[in-house]
Amino acid sequence: LEPGSEYEVRFELSDPDGGHATATRTVTTRVQPARNLPGRRQVHVYPERFEGPRLSPAFADLATAFAQSEPGDLVLIHAGTYRGPYRVAAGGTAGRPIVFRAAGDGEVIVDGGGDDTVGVIEVEPGRDHLWFENLSVRGGRCGIRGMRTDGLVVRGCRIWDVLYGVTTGTEPRNFANTNWYVADNVLIGRYEQWKKYVKTHFGAGINLAGRGHVACFNRISFFWDGIS
C-alpha cells in the first residue's frame, strides 16, 4: 500500500457457528510525516556556556524554546548537553508543526538528571503536532511523554536509561492521545535480564494508549515490555 492513498477495501466476516456478513468501504492510508521539514522560521538553541559563534534568531535556552516556539518553527538544537527535565508548553498545528531537531553539528543530549518521578521531556496536555528528531534523551522515568496530545512525532532519537522510552502513560485520560508517529529510534532500558511481572512493573520501550498510532522500525532492548 502507498501512503496517503485511497483504497477500496472489502471486509468479510464468517463464523463457523453461523452468520456471515460482507461490507465494502473506501479508506485512506496515513501520510508519513515529511522528512527534513524546513520550517516557516528557523530558530537556534545553544547549550549553557556555549562560547562559539551563534546564529540568529536564537532562543535563550531550551526551556524557552519549549515554551515560546510558534506553529511552523524549526528549532535547531546545537550540540551539547541540556540539563532537564523539561516541559513543553508550545504547540503546533497539522499544517504547521513545531519541529525540535538536532542541528547536525554533534550529539544533542537532553538529560533528565536521573529524576524517576517525571519524564525528561514532558509534553503538556493539549499541545499538538510537536516533532522531536535526532535527539539523545536520557535519565528519567520517561524519555518523551505526552498527555492528550495529537500528532506527536518521535523520529531518529536515541533514548536510554529510562523506565519508559516514548509513552502516553496508562491513565484513562491518556486514551485521548491520537495519531502519534514513533519511528527509526533506538530505545534502551535498564534491565539486562527479563523478570517475571510483579506489582511494580518494569516499564516499556514504547507505550501507547489512544488510537491511530504508528510505531515502526525502532530498535528496543532492556525493557520489561518492548511495545505496549
Side-chain angles (χ1 to χ4, degrees):
L1 301 180
E2 294 297 323
S5 301
E6 196 173 80
Y7 292 90
E8 188 178 73
V9 180
R10 182 172 181 265
F11 299 92
E12 182 173 341
L13 174 66
S14 180
D15 186 342
D17 294 326
H20 182 84
T22 60
T24 301
R25 298 286 184 270
T26 299
V27 299
T28 303
T29 52
R30 288 273 296 277
V31 176
Q32 296 180 11
R35 290 189 177 273
N36 301 315
L37 200 68
R40 177 182 59 88
R41 177 181 71 149
Q42 293 188 8
V43 192
H44 299 267
V45 179
Y46 293 89
E48 187 179 0
R49 294 188 293 274
F50 180 82
E51 296 180 352
R54 297 178 181 239
L55 298 171
S56 62
F59 287 113
D61 50 37
L62 187 55
T64 304
F66 283 151
Q68 298 182 5
S69 295
E70 300 175 356
D73 280 354
L74 169 59
V75 180
L76 293 169
I77 307 171
H78 290 267
T81 299
Y82 297 80
R83 305 293 179 183
Y86 292 98
R87 291 188 69 86
V88 184
T93 66
R96 288 186 170 182
I98 300 175
V99 181
F100 298 99
R101 181 188 299 156
D105 52 1
E107 186 178 19
V108 173
I109 300 175
V110 184
D111 190 335
D115 186 346
D116 280 351
T117 64
V118 297
V120 181
I121 299 175
E122 294 261 11
V123 176
E124 293 188 356
R127 308 305 182 186
D128 299 333
H129 301 290
L130 299 168
W131 297 15
F132 301 93
E133 297 182 337
N134 305 329
L135 307 178
S136 291
V137 182
R138 72 183 185 195
R141 180 174 179 79
C142 317
I144 298 174
R145 177 166 66 175
M147 294 174 283
R148 303 197 299 280
T149 299
D150 181 53
L152 190 78
V153 172
V154 181
R155 178 166 52 193
C157 293
R158 182 175 186 265
I159 300 174
W160 80 104
D161 188 21
V162 292
L163 296 175
Y164 294 88
V166 178
T167 180
T168 61
T170 56
E171 298 84 356
R173 62 181 179 171
N174 288 327
F175 283 85
N177 288 284
T178 52
N179 302 320
W180 286 28
Y181 183 83
V182 184
D184 305 309
N185 303 288
V186 175
L187 304 116
I188 305 171
R190 297 175 178 172
Y191 300 98
E192 294 187 8
Q193 177 63 46
W194 187 88
K195 297 179 176 65
K196 184 178 179 180
Y197 183 88
V198 294
K199 190 171 183 179
T200 303
H201 54 79
F202 299 102
I206 298 173
N207 184 58
L208 298 178
R211 59 186 174 82
H213 304 308
V214 173
C216 56
F217 306 113
N218 300 285
R219 185 179 180 90
I220 304 170
S221 57
F222 301 142
F223 290 96
W224 187 84
D225 227 352
I227 299 177
S228 178

